[in-house]
Amino acid sequence: MITFKDTYDSRKREIEDFLGVIEFLEHKENDRKNGISKFFQFFYPPEGGIHLTYQALINILKSNVSLMIYNIIEYTVSNLIDSIYDEIRINHLSYVDVNESIRALWRKTILKSANDPNANFTTFLKKNEEIIASILNHNALDMYSRNTLPGGNLDGDSINQTFKLHGIRVKTSSPNYRPDILEGIKDNRNNLAHGSVSFVEAVREDSISDIKQNEAVVVAFLDELIATVSVYIEEQKYKVS
């Protein structure tokens, strides 16, 4: 968890620094002399400059911040889940040692390939035998977040459900749990990733202060999530009662 937290703090600083650059450019655009902004003087000197308007550049930067915020959400959630699985591996815990929530997730992970349209009854039988053998032999469970997380679709509801499936209660009553903000960030990420919107268009309606406020809420929510999972791990709640 220590390495994860160091990287998490570094990612937070990156976003904050990036937001600082955007605010700096906004200040330069509003700082005018004889109707000409400092931004214009900086980016469009007499000898030639970039071929972007102030608003287009700011919109592109805002879209990048939106992606950075989604990335820190995905990074945090996946690493918290893997921190739980690491504890299970380190302690060589088998099926009978973990709580019912972890057991159900493990079974689902093993049987996932049997749900493939090309799979047949023989595949299902083999996977079922794999589950039975692992339980009887007390094999340590080997789980990874990449097999249990809905990749590219992390919003308030999916995050809540993901941790609920591990027997962890997300503080949905917290003012920092904002499904509307989390869903908007997820949608922006998917739209940008699939190319359905341009970086200029994606968050053009959101002001810089809107994005900064959203970032603060998301980070506060992630901080709470880290604290909740840390207690879960410290109290070894992944184990059977």
Side-chain angles (χ1 to χ4, degrees), residues 41-170:
Q41 293 175 341
F42 183 77
F43 284 99
Y44 299 94
E47 62 274 14
I50 63 174
H51 301 287
L52 281 173
T53 64
Y54 162 77
Q55 198 57 58
L57 177 58
I58 290 299
N59 286 348
I60 290 170
L61 295 177
K62 288 190 296 183
S63 291
N64 275 281
V65 171
S66 184
L67 281 178
M68 292 170 76
I69 295 173
Y70 181 83
N71 286 345
I72 197 174
I73 292 171
E74 191 171 82
Y75 172 80
T76 303
V77 172
S78 62
N79 273 269
L80 288 177
I81 295 299
D82 276 328
S83 293
I84 297 169
Y85 299 158
D86 286 344
E87 290 296 317
I88 292 172
R89 275 192 297 275
I90 290 168
N91 292 291
H92 306 288
L93 302 182
S94 68
Y95 184 85
V96 297
D97 300 316
V98 298
N99 65 38
E100 183 52 46
S101 297
I102 301 293
R103 292 178 186 178
L105 265 174
W106 178 77
R107 292 195 305 268
K108 184 178 179 181
T109 301
I110 299 296
L111 289 172
K112 189 178 287 185
S113 60
N115 202 31
D116 190 301
N118 298 317
N120 53 33
F121 188 64
T122 302
T123 303
F124 176 79
L125 284 177
K126 285 182 179 179
K127 289 298 176 181
N128 209 36
E129 288 169 1
E130 184 180 334
I131 290 173
I132 294 170
S134 182
I135 294 172
L136 292 177
N137 295 328
H138 296 279
N139 294 339
L141 301 189
D142 198 22
M143 301 173 69
Y144 298 91
S145 64
R146 63 175 178 268
N147 298 322
T148 56
L149 289 180
N153 287 294
L154 290 178
D155 55 20
D157 184 59
S158 63
I159 291 171
N160 183 29
Q161 290 301 315
T162 294
F163 284 98
K164 190 175 182 180
L165 289 172
H166 290 79
I168 300 172
R169 278 184 154 188
V170 173

Side-chain angles (χ1 to χ4, degrees), residues 1 9 15 24-25 27-28 36 42 55 80-81 85-86 90 93 99 132 137 157 161 181 193 198 205 211-212 236 239:
M1 284 283 281
D9 289 337
I15 296 172
F24 169 79
L25 294 177
H27 175 73
K28 290 298 180 184
I36 299 175
F42 183 77
Q55 198 57 58
L80 288 177
I81 295 299
Y85 299 158
D86 286 344
I90 290 168
L93 302 182
N99 65 38
I132 294 170
N137 295 328
D157 184 59
Q161 290 301 315
I181 292 176
S198 71
E205 301 300 324
I211 293 176
K212 190 172 183 180
Q236 299 185 333
K239 289 185 177 181

